[in-house]
Amino acid sequence: MPSAKRIYLSPPHMSGNEMKYIEEAFRDNWIAPLGPNVDNFEKDIAQYLGVKHVAALSSGTAAIHLALILLGVKPGDYVIVQSFTFSATVNPIVYLGATPVFVDSEPETWNMDPELLEKAIQDKRQKEKDKRKIKDKIKIKDKRKKIKGGEVKAIIGVNLYGMPAKWDEILAIGEKYGIPVIEDAAESLGSRYNGKMCGTIGKSGILSFNGNKIITTSGGGALLSDDEEMIAKARFLATQARDKAPHYQHSQIGYNYRMSNIVAGIGRGQMEVISERVRARRENFEFYKSNLSGLKGVSFIDEPGEKYFSNRWLTTILIDPKEAGADREEVRIALEKENIESRPLWKPMHLQPVFSGYPAFVNGISENLFSRGLCLPSGSSMTEEERERVVWVIRKELKKA
Ligand SMILES: *Cc1c(COP(=O)(O)O)cnc(C)c1O
């Protein structure tokens, strides 16, 4: 049994002011999925990111679900989505009965490859046309029969591990084909692209405040947009789609997706220290890089240019087993033996059993990253001693080999 204290991948890190806001909620009896903490947390986020409107929600997944509904995604439609991500990016597409179309990554940012994105759009647009032709024929024969959906309704790109995607290229393609872009910024609060804060780049952006993210509310998320109407509609749908009436009246299907005023109190305490948290995560990256990049077969992902500023949510390393003499799993197990949590990179969605039947445009990049990559402990509360312990185990394992 390892005696040293466990080092976690990305544990919560409180500022100390969270309880103050929670106590206010108790004092004023604002124990509800709305209230002053929710309003103020939304304001804090809007101000920090420079975005006009924010809806605080129960999770990042809920935010993606609403973003898709608000873009009119219907059963049978296509949503083009980055394959190299967490499943929460994709699940809401399937909730809506739409078809995810997976697009692989490019090697510089590990995010959506713009060339493959365009290929995917062209392919699905052709399918749309074919479907329309069939529809027209059916119209003549049988007016009652309908083929539903089949339109490419949205693109979802991700800033994986905090690294901004190639947004100029992705947005230009979205514009060229008239398809709105959703930015999944769940991992990239505090990152920047071309001077813009991540989460504010697409038509709408989503954040997550899950326990492992750069700041946390224990669980929560947000939908961001400069489009006032969109966020107003999101709030409406997130609170059971109640029409304006003294009684309960509904003309649409609603959801219970609003953030609680209690957890929003945690969020307010966390937003006070967001800049420090970004600084600490970036320091972890610098530490690992300067202490490990000399090892044979170990490499890091750099910001590919001036435009890119990553919050370095998780520091990741790639291990080339031929050069390093040990593979990713051997290193992970060696760390685990020393009571240190690390984790392989996200397994691409096109390789997940549950998504195996959906179309995918792949180039082998995310699959290769998955086979070689490891996420290292990256919490903002890590001590120098803890980081040294991690480095020591990795060096020892790779030297042994
Ligand atoms: C965490 C995460 C989400 C989902 O957020 P939840 O708040 O856990 O629902 C979505 N996308 C990515 C890329 C994530 O890492």
Side-chain angles (χ1 to χ4, degrees):
M1 274 292 280
S3 53
K5 197 168 150 240
R6 184 156 178 82
I7 302 175
Y8 291 98
L9 193 69
S10 181
H13 183 190
M14 295 296 107
S15 71
N17 282 335
E18 290 82 4
M19 279 309 285
K20 183 181 84 187
Y21 298 112
I22 293 175
E23 275 163 11
E24 275 175 28
F26 272 79
R27 186 194 64 206
D28 301 332
N29 208 27
W30 272 111
I31 316 293
L34 79 174
N37 279 338
V38 175
D39 297 344
N40 284 303
F41 183 42
E42 287 176 346
K43 273 188 205 139
D44 292 344
I45 296 167
Q47 195 177 11
Y48 176 68
L49 294 181
V51 69
K52 289 200 182 116
H53 305 283
V54 175
L57 301 167
S58 54
S59 70
T61 310
I64 296 170
H65 193 190
L66 290 180
L68 293 170
I69 293 168
L70 292 164
L71 292 177
V73 175
K74 298 254 154 42
D77 284 335
Y78 295 109
V79 175
I80 303 192
V81 62
Q82 183 165 323
S83 181
F84 197 30
T85 185
F86 177 48
S87 64
T89 312
V90 182
N91 285 332
I93 302 170
V94 181
Y95 300 164
L96 290 168
T99 301
V101 179
F102 296 116
V103 170
D104 214 327
S105 296
E106 40 77 16
E108 284 192 336
T109 75
W110 298 1
N111 294 305
M112 187 178 263
D113 181 333
E115 274 175 41
L116 279 182
L117 166 64
E118 186 155 27
K119 246 177 100 178
I121 294 173
Q122 285 171 350
D123 182 83
K124 293 305 151 206
R125 277 278 154 93
Q126 191 53 48
K127 293 240 158 62
E128 257 177 49
K129 274 189 202 148
D130 297 346
K131 238 183 184 175
R132 223 172 291 136
K133 265 186 218 151
I134 301 170
K135 261 191 203 174
D136 290 344
K137 266 189 206 151
I138 289 172
K139 253 187 214 155
I140 300 162
K141 279 195 207 146
D142 180 358
K143 282 206 170 125
R144 288 164 304 179
K145 254 193 205 165
K146 269 190 193 150
I147 292 181
K148 273 199 264 173
E151 279 179 64
V152 183
K153 280 280 175 63
I155 296 164
I156 311 179
V158 187
N159 305 308
L160 216 62
Y161 303 115
M163 184 67 78
K166 296 197 166 179
W167 289 111
D168 282 345
E169 289 87 337
I170 294 168
L171 291 179
I173 292 167
E175 199 144 306
K176 179 172 167 190
Y177 293 91
I179 305 166
V181 176
I182 299 169
E183 184 190 4
D184 179 345
E187 302 179 1
S188 56
L189 180 61
S191 299
R192 289 195 300 273
Y193 177 78
N194 233 352
K196 273 197 118 183
M197 296 301 280
C198 283
T200 72
I201 293 163
K203 168 79 184 150
S204 54
I206 78 100
L207 298 176
S208 167
F209 310 111
N210 199 2
N212 58 349
K213 299 287 155 61
I214 190 157
I215 64 164
T216 180
T217 61
S218 71
L223 182 65
L224 325 169
S225 183
D226 281 335
D227 183 338
E228 186 172 6
E229 204 181 315
M230 179 184 262
I231 299 301
K233 188 88 195 283
R235 291 204 179 101
F236 167 77
L237 292 174
T239 45
Q240 308 288 22
R242 284 182 61 188
D243 294 339
K244 280 210 172 71
H247 55 279
Y248 280 82
Q249 173 154 313
H250 309 273
S251 12
Q252 278 180 73
I253 294 296
Y255 303 84
N256 185 3
Y257 277 174
R258 213 50 169 121
M259 179 177 276
S260 136
N261 193 55
I262 305 294
V263 306
I266 307 176
R268 287 180 78 186
Q270 292 273 282
M271 280 308 284
E272 292 178 359
V273 291
I274 177 67
S275 301
E276 286 164 45
R277 298 298 183 254
V278 173
R279 204 177 314 128
R281 298 258 175 177
R282 286 179 61 87
E283 269 171 30
N284 286 336
F285 173 83
E286 292 305 331
F287 182 90
Y288 285 130
K289 193 176 173 197
S290 64
N291 285 282
L292 293 172
S293 62
L295 293 175
K296 255 203 202 160
V298 174
S299 60
F300 289 79
I301 177 173
D302 286 316
E303 287 154 340
E306 295 273 286
K307 277 190 203 173
Y308 299 83
F309 179 88
S310 169
N311 68 5
R312 296 292 184 187
W313 171 54
L314 297 182
T315 293
T316 58
I317 55 171
L318 295 177
I319 300 164
D320 178 346
K322 272 193 228 114
E323 290 255 329
D327 66 14
R328 190 273 313 283
E329 269 311 280
E330 287 168 311
V331 174
R332 191 186 66 76
I333 290 160
L335 287 164
E336 192 53 55
K337 276 196 188 130
E338 295 294 334
N339 211 15
I340 298 168
E341 184 186 26
S342 66
R343 205 169 287 170
L345 303 192
W346 298 121
K347 179 172 181 175
M349 293 302 118
H350 70 273
L351 299 175
Q352 297 286 355
V354 70
F355 296 129
S356 63
Y358 293 111
F361 292 78
V362 296
N363 54 20
I365 286 179
S366 63
E367 184 166 358
N368 181 275
L369 291 169
F370 169 62
S371 73
R372 296 193 291 134
L374 190 66
C375 301
L376 300 182
S378 302
S380 49
S381 53
M382 266 185 105
T383 63
E384 191 78 7
E385 214 182 338
E386 288 175 322
R387 292 193 297 214
E388 270 163 12
R389 241 175 85 200
V390 177
V391 163
W392 175 77
V393 176
I394 297 174
R395 284 185 156 271
K396 195 172 62 149
E397 182 61 23
L398 295 186
K399 268 203 201 113
K400 191 172 74 188

